[in-house]
Amino acid sequence: MSKLPLDKWVENIVDALETGLKPLFHVISLCIEGIVNGIASTFHWLPALVFIVLAAALGYYLGKWKFAAFTAIGLLLIDNLGLWEHTIDTLALVLTSAILSIVIGVPLGIGSAQSDRVRGIVTPLLDFMQTMPAFVYLIPAVTFFGLGVVPGVIASVIFAVPPTIRLTNLGIRQVPEDLVEAADAFGSTSRQKLFKLQIPLAMPSIMTGINQTIMLSLSMVVIASMIGAQGVGADVYGAVTQIKTGEGFEAGLAIVVLAIVLDRMTQHIVRKNRRGSNV
């Protein structure tokens, strides 16, 4: 039996998309670059110590003094290692990926929760996105957007958006039926029921999905550095290619600190939302 020319079919589709949608890809590229550069410029504009104090204050508000102390010490360590600028670039990349994932994922999750047909279409796509090796996403991303930050963000969004979609869908579907029936009995419209009942009660689940999306975006940092994305991932990649164990450990430690800070912040937000929904 002869081999199916699947690779040729995929390449022909990619070539057709690249030719036919080139203006659209250019607009998307400009928008993503604008978001990344805007976030990075804002954070770079703040002195490192001011940023650390603000992050520690937010950590104290969300998780009290232990988390605030860890945040301050961890960020001071990053600054001391000379990785502050690159860490800010990485943070801008992660936040941009998270913002785009939320903008795409939450509406798709809501649509999946409200329609079994939409869920039947979206679920296999999510399975495909989560099982396909992350490196594969870099190929079409580079083809459509070239090297740099933009394909890194695109690949991160594709890799990281499924948890937001899945947990948004799950959270809304788990809203108790008696509450939905009560809203219907009081004459609530579908829009009122969604925004005043279902989304508020599903918010802890939605925030958990966003937390997982942020972590997955951060895990793509090193991979994205292979196609020109700047940040600490580039330091890790450079240390690996040059076999510099010490520099690689320092860069990896910066990523770990940033990951823990972002993870704990979103977890504390989830806990606050759960307390609010219980009240």
Side-chain angles (χ1 to χ4, degrees):
M1 182 178 179
S2 60
K3 175 182 176 294
L4 286 173
L6 184 59
D7 55 343
K8 300 295 183 182
W9 295 346
V10 172
E11 289 178 2
N12 291 336
I13 293 172
V14 170
D15 291 340
L17 290 174
E18 183 185 8
T19 303
L21 299 179
K22 190 171 184 178
L24 176 61
F25 292 143
H26 180 66
V27 172
I28 293 174
S29 179
L30 291 177
C31 292
I32 293 176
E33 282 184 356
I35 296 172
V36 174
N37 293 335
I39 295 174
S41 298
T42 301
F43 289 161
H44 281 304
W45 176 75
L46 290 172
L49 289 178
V50 174
F51 185 96
I52 292 171
V53 169
L54 292 176
L58 180 60
Y60 179 78
Y61 171 74
L62 294 174
K64 303 306 179 185
W65 67 269
K66 289 184 179 179
F67 179 50
F70 175 83
T71 301
I73 294 172
L75 294 180
L76 284 171
L77 176 62
I78 291 174
D79 188 33
N80 178 263
L81 294 175
L83 295 170
W84 182 258
E85 300 293 327
H86 289 180
T87 300
I88 292 299
D89 291 336
T90 296
L91 181 59
L93 179 67
V94 171
L95 291 180
T96 302
S97 301
I99 291 170
L100 294 177
S101 297
I102 293 168
V103 170
I104 296 170
V106 172
L108 281 176
I110 293 172
S112 298
Q114 294 185 327
S115 172
D116 290 335
R117 180 176 295 179
V118 173
R119 184 179 64 170
I121 296 173
V122 170
T123 299
L125 292 176
L126 297 180
D127 295 338
F128 178 84
M129 291 163 64
Q130 289 186 295
T131 54
M132 179 66 70
F135 286 94
V136 177
Y137 297 135
L138 302 181
I139 302 172
V142 171
T143 301
F144 295 143
F145 301 99
L147 297 175
V149 171
V150 175
V153 171
I154 295 295
S156 298
V157 169
I158 296 173
F159 182 70
V161 73
T164 297
I165 300 174
R166 290 187 187 276
L167 289 172
T168 299
N169 169 44
L170 180 64
I172 292 177
R173 286 182 177 270
Q174 287 182 337
V175 173
E177 284 293 330
D178 55 346
L179 294 180
V180 177
E181 292 173 359
D184 290 332
F186 280 101
S188 298
T189 64
S190 299
R191 186 182 185 87
Q192 290 173 331
K193 186 168 58 178
L194 175 64
F195 287 100
K196 294 185 178 181
L197 174 65
Q198 293 173 313
I199 290 180
L201 291 179
M203 190 55 68
S205 179
I206 295 173
M207 288 303 303
T208 301
I210 293 173
N211 170 269
Q212 294 302 307
T213 290
I214 292 173
M215 292 299 99
L216 290 173
S217 297
L218 194 52
S219 71
M220 283 289 291
V221 166
V222 177
I223 298 176
S225 68
M226 298 174 62
I227 54 175
Q230 299 302 310
V232 187
D235 296 307
V236 175
Y237 182 63
V240 170
T241 56
Q242 300 175 34
I243 317 179
K244 294 183 177 180
T245 307
E247 293 182 7
F249 179 81
E250 289 180 349
L253 184 60
I255 294 177
V256 169
V257 170
L258 184 59
I260 293 175
V261 170
L262 292 175
D263 178 58
R264 296 300 184 271
M265 282 188 175
T266 50
Q267 284 188 13
H268 286 305
I269 293 173
V270 170
R271 293 193 188 103
K272 285 183 177 291
N273 282 326
R274 281 177 179 162
R275 294 192 195 108
S277 62
N278 290 333
V279 173

